[in-house]
Amino acid sequence: DIQMTQSPSSLSASVGDRVTITCRASQGISNSLAWYQQKPGKAPKFLLYGASSLKSGVPSRFSGSVSGTDYTLTISSLQPEDFATFYCQQYYSMPYTFGQGTKLEIK
Amino acid sequence: EVQLLESGGGLVQPGGSLRLSCAASGFSFSTYAMTWVRQAPGKGLEWVSEINSSGGSTYYADSVKGRFTISRDNSKNTLYLQMNSLRAEDTALYYCAKVLHGGDAFDIWGQGTMVTVSS
């Protein structure tokens, strides 16, 4: 199985900050990587796929990038509604696997 | 509006069975693969199973293989998960999700249905 190691597990930041979250795949996944945002008591919300393609309607302050087997989600300027838990997911091969999650909290 | 609505969760004893349903609306259900993802209380997301658009191909996580069966009825726009031989570690919120065309990201999620396995 492909392991997705997500870091950091938690992060405190302020409105307006730029933040990055990283997922490292245990092997190559050919950019088959999605990012989700989950708020407490809610279902996950799909943000990006193909490592860097933004879902229609997702604010442009969210972006994704890749370097080797490291996949990064960047939020360029945090807004109050962005505080949540974020998960990466590889869909290169089954079983599909998620990162452990990054809880983004208000500083 | 694209919508997924799960039902069928509840409290069941270890070794028991449950069937979850996921009613889809607002999109052409029969043309999309569908999946189930679960989340144990306070934990992360775990992919459980996927079925292709026709229902002819199914896939499972090792943790549920041989115990769970995914199926769909395209005439009723409904996805199912039959869960047998349930264990305490199957306790979770179960989400159904629509699979994105061209890659198995999950673009639409239901609100989830809770399954609790306990005596």
Side-chain angles (χ1 to χ4, degrees), chain A residues 34 36 38 42-44 46 49 55 87 89 91 94-96 98 100, chain B residues 37 39 43-45 47 50 59 95 100 103-107 109-110:
Chain A
Y36 304 89
Q38 187 178 34
K42 299 294 187 182
F46 174 55
Y49 64 100
K55 175 191 174 182
Y87 294 93
Q89 177 228 341
Y91 52 90
M94 290 181 177
Y96 299 141
F98 291 86
Q100 308 95 311
Chain B
V37 175
Q39 187 170 35
K43 302 297 184 182
L45 301 169
W47 173 78
E50 184 166 305
Y59 312 89
Y95 295 102
L100 191 66
D104 284 5
F106 311 144
D107 64 338
W109 296 62

Side-chain angles (χ1 to χ4, degrees), chain B residues 8-88:
Chain B
L11 175 64
V12 61
Q13 292 188 338
S17 298
L18 274 179
R19 189 176 83 154
L20 306 184
S21 299
C22 170
S25 59
F27 65 100
S28 182
F29 178 76
S30 64
T31 66
Y32 288 92
M34 297 292 295
T35 198
W36 288 96
V37 175
R38 68 184 180 183
Q39 187 170 35
K43 302 297 184 182
L45 301 169
E46 180 188 15
W47 173 78
V48 173
S49 182
E50 184 166 305
I51 187 168
N52 72 347
S53 58
S54 68
S57 296
T58 58
Y59 312 89
Y60 299 93
D62 285 347
S63 58
V64 307
K65 199 172 295 182
R67 301 187 299 122
F68 290 12
T69 302
I70 191 171
S71 63
R72 64 192 297 161
D73 186 336
N74 286 343
S75 69
K76 295 182 178 179
N77 290 347
T78 303
L79 175 72
Y80 302 101
L81 187 68
Q82 177 67 43
M83 304 187 296
N84 299 331
S85 303
L86 282 161
R87 306 167 179 166

Side-chain angles (χ1 to χ4, degrees), chain A residues 71-82:
Chain A
Y71 293 81
T72 299
L73 174 70
T74 300
I75 310 173
S76 60
S77 178
L78 276 173
Q79 298 302 300
E81 61 268 28
D82 298 338

